Every structure is written in C-alpha cells, then in structure tokens.
Amino acid sequence: MLFADPTVPGAGLSPAEISALFILWSLSTVIVEVPTGVLADRFSRRRLLVAGPLVTGAGFALWTVTPSFPSFAAGFMLWAIGGSLRSGTSQALVYDELAILGRSHEYARLSGAMRAAAAIGVIGGTALAVPLLAWGGYTAAGVASVTACVLCALVSAGLPESGRPGAGGPGQDSSPGADTAELDAPDGWLAVLRGALRHLRDRPIARRLLVLVIALTWVAALDEYLPLLAESFLGGPMSGAATPEAVALLMIVVAAGDICGSLAARRVRDTVMVGPAVGLGASALIAAALWAHPAGVVGVAVAFGVFGWALVVADAALQDRLDSASRATVTSIAGVGEEVVAILAFAGWAAGSVHLGPAALFAIAALPYAVGAGAMTVRASRR
C-alpha cells in the first residue's frame, strides 16, 4: 500500500493517519453526495457518469506525481467528488432505462452482475498489481489507475439514456442556455430534494429499506483494511509468509466470494432472507477472524459474499419503490448514510488499532450484524 510504504518519500503514514484519510474521504462524500444526486435528477445522468471517473483519475494522478499527506488528502477529496457523481446516478440510469423497456424486474439481476463485474475488476487489478509494481513501481500503478478511469469514462459515454422531463438528456432541451436557466432556478433544485424527502416520509416501506441498505454497509466499509486482516492470517507484516503475493492471493479469494454473492441476487432476491443470511455471514466472519489462520479467508469470503448479496437485494427492493424524478436523490441520501457509517467504522478502527489487531477489530465489527440479524428479518418481512 502506497500510503504506508516508508520507502516512498512523503508516504510511510501511520494507521491513524491512513484512517484520517479515509475519514476525510467519507466526509467529503457526505458533503457532495446529495447535491450530485439532485444534479443527476435534473440533468443528463450519462454526462455525470462520464465526468465522475475523470475527476477520480485526477486524484490518482496527484498521488502518482507528488505523494505526500496533503496530496493524498486532495486525491481522496477528488475521489469523493468523482464517486458521488456516479453514486446514485448509475442505479437511477439503469433502473429507469429498464423501466422504459418494461423490464424493471431485471434490475436485481443486472445490479448483481454489475457488482460482480466490479469485483472481477478488483481481482484483475490485484493480480496485475504485483508484476506491475515489480516492473515500474508505484508510478506504473498510478498510470494504470488513471488509464482505467479514462477508459471507464469512454465506456460510460456509450450508455443509452432516454429523455426525462427537465433532465437535459436526449430528446430534451439540453442546450447550454437551457442548462444555465435550470442552474439559475434554485427552487427547482429544492423541489427535487423536497420531493425525495416527501417520498421517504410518505412511504415507510421505502424508508425502512433505505435504513437497511445503509446498515448493510457497516462491515463493507472496512474492506480497505482487508489486506491488514490477510497479513494477520499469515503471521503479521513482519512474518516472512506475509509476502505481497500471498496477501494478494487471499484478497482474490475474498473478491471471489463477493462475486458469488452478487451473482446470487440474479436468482434469490427475497428480502425476508436478508436477516438470517446476514446473521450467518457475521458468524462466519467472527469465526474466521478469531481463528486467524490462512484458511479462515474462506469464512471472510463467505461473509462478504452474503453481505454483497443482501445489499443488492435491499437496493433492488428500494429502487422498486422510488419515483424516477427523485430516484438519484434518494439513492444519494442512502449514500450519505453509508458514508456516515463508514466514518464511524474508520474512526473505530483508528481508535481500536491502538490496542487490538485486525482480526479482533473485524470480529467486533461483525457483532452488530450477528446481534441485529433478527431485527433485519422483522423489518424486511413487514412489507
């Protein structure tokens, strides 16, 4: 990891400093998440999906050129903006395009496939990281990351987008003058936000599903620390067994579990099963973490697969109950809740890492799921 590498001038950050960067990342996302969601409900969603990766890529370029704590911080803020431009926007675009085709019931299948594709990308990136770093160091990795962001933007430019009233999309008045006129109408922005809040107020089912989606991101927020957990399974960072190749292999196993869980949403999408499944996943994570053996990575993979499946199912159920006019905004509100959860998780890790290792911290993080699984079942079944 670049941030913690003491051989890189400007890097070699402590666990607390790295956690501070993650918290800054989440705080920045909280600030921009809802405004970008409103933007996605008023203008072309495809354009935002193009812009997002380019902004994120600018942050990666900054890390590559001038690695230091300030550069890392600025890069995370750019990443937050770029991610927020896509968060909520992609779900809204996919669901509404399917709805236009009369195929909204396929959203869970497609959403699961998208999540699986992202995990496959993680596996590919992890597999390439070791030889890439050996060949060209962090500079090569940075160039590859920026290139991937540019390619993502190019692919996004080819996505279909049907016209939506007031969205500035195809079939609508999307001239610069029209866009400027809408930007100069604050009541329009507030109307979208008020509509989203009213939607949640008037539909308790949607509100409960929103809370469920947010709650399911608690442990997932700690995925940035998974390499540290993998190192602990191999005997710790000072162990000769904890080589970059070995850690990467364990990470691939976890990613494979995430892929399987995401693809499972193609066939199983009953929200009543979320509670029991999450309880099972939490138990697997606790047992694997406390075992602290390399084979325990299978339990971690099972847990993250279950959590990924549950998140896809809950998100699909939420999207089924949203209106197109405020879909991205409501999804972005969920994103704000997810980032607040992430901030708590990062802060908890920073404080706990002073006294506890990664295995104990992951086990503690999974406890709320094990204890609250019954409540998730009750809420999901009352629909």
Side-chain angles (χ1 to χ4, degrees), residues 62-374:
L62 187 61
W63 291 355
T64 304
V65 176
T66 58
S68 65
F69 186 87
S71 292
F72 295 150
F76 270 117
M77 287 189 285
L78 288 171
W79 194 349
I81 296 172
S84 295
L85 287 171
R86 297 180 65 83
S87 172
T89 307
S90 58
Q91 295 99 314
L93 177 63
V94 170
Y95 192 95
D96 283 345
E97 291 300 313
L98 287 174
I100 290 172
L101 297 174
R103 297 165 56 187
S104 58
H105 60 282
E106 297 184 19
Y107 175 79
R109 178 184 64 81
L110 188 55
S111 178
M114 290 165 57
R115 183 181 174 88
I120 291 173
V122 170
I123 291 179
T126 302
L128 291 174
V130 174
L132 190 62
L133 286 170
W135 173 69
Y138 290 113
T139 299
V143 170
S145 298
V146 173
T147 301
C149 289
V150 173
L151 291 175
C152 182
L154 291 175
V155 172
S156 297
L159 293 174
E161 181 178 24
S162 303
R164 294 176 292 111
Q172 304 298 325
D173 183 3
S174 57
S175 65
D179 285 356
T180 302
E182 292 200 20
L183 282 169
D184 290 338
D187 288 345
W189 292 78
L190 292 176
V192 173
L193 182 56
R194 283 197 297 265
L197 295 175
R198 183 169 57 250
H199 186 92
L200 291 174
R201 182 195 65 199
D202 295 341
R203 299 189 184 182
I205 299 176
R207 190 167 61 247
R208 289 198 296 270
L209 287 168
L210 182 77
V211 173
L212 180 59
V213 167
I214 293 172
L216 287 171
T217 62
W218 167 247
V219 170
L222 297 178
D223 63 355
E224 300 291 343
Y225 300 103
L226 278 173
L228 300 180
L229 180 64
E231 281 186 349
S232 72
F233 284 177
L234 294 167
M238 303 305 294
S239 169
T243 63
E245 294 84 356
V247 172
L249 180 61
L250 295 187
M251 293 300 297
I252 289 175
V253 174
V254 176
D258 195 10
I259 292 171
C260 293
S262 298
L263 292 178
R266 296 161 60 95
R267 297 185 176 276
V268 183
R269 55 167 300 184
D270 189 350
T271 54
V272 176
M273 296 178 61
V274 168
V278 168
L280 176 64
S283 299
L285 180 55
I286 293 171
L290 295 180
W291 186 19
H293 187 276
V297 74
V298 175
V300 179
V302 169
F304 274 79
V306 169
F307 300 153
W309 167 83
L311 188 58
V312 171
V313 169
D315 174 61
L318 174 63
Q319 298 298 331
D320 284 340
R321 292 162 175 82
L322 300 182
D323 294 331
S324 176
S326 59
R327 184 179 306 282
T329 303
V330 173
T331 307
S332 292
I333 291 173
V336 170
E338 293 169 6
E339 292 305 323
V340 171
V341 168
I343 290 171
L344 294 175
F346 295 153
W349 186 280
S353 63
V354 177
H355 304 288
L356 300 173
L361 291 173
F362 267 95
I364 292 172
L367 278 176
Y369 283 172
V371 174

Side-chain angles (χ1 to χ4, degrees), residues 15-56:
E17 288 175 318
I18 294 174
S19 292
L21 289 175
F22 291 156
I23 291 172
L24 175 63
W25 184 17
S26 293
L27 283 174
S28 300
T29 301
V30 167
I31 293 172
V32 300
E33 183 77 25
V34 172
T36 54
V38 175
L39 189 68
D41 280 329
R42 295 206 24 102
F43 300 104
S44 168
R45 290 168 178 166
R46 181 173 56 195
R47 294 179 187 176
L48 298 187
L49 292 178
V50 172
L54 298 178
V55 175
T56 299

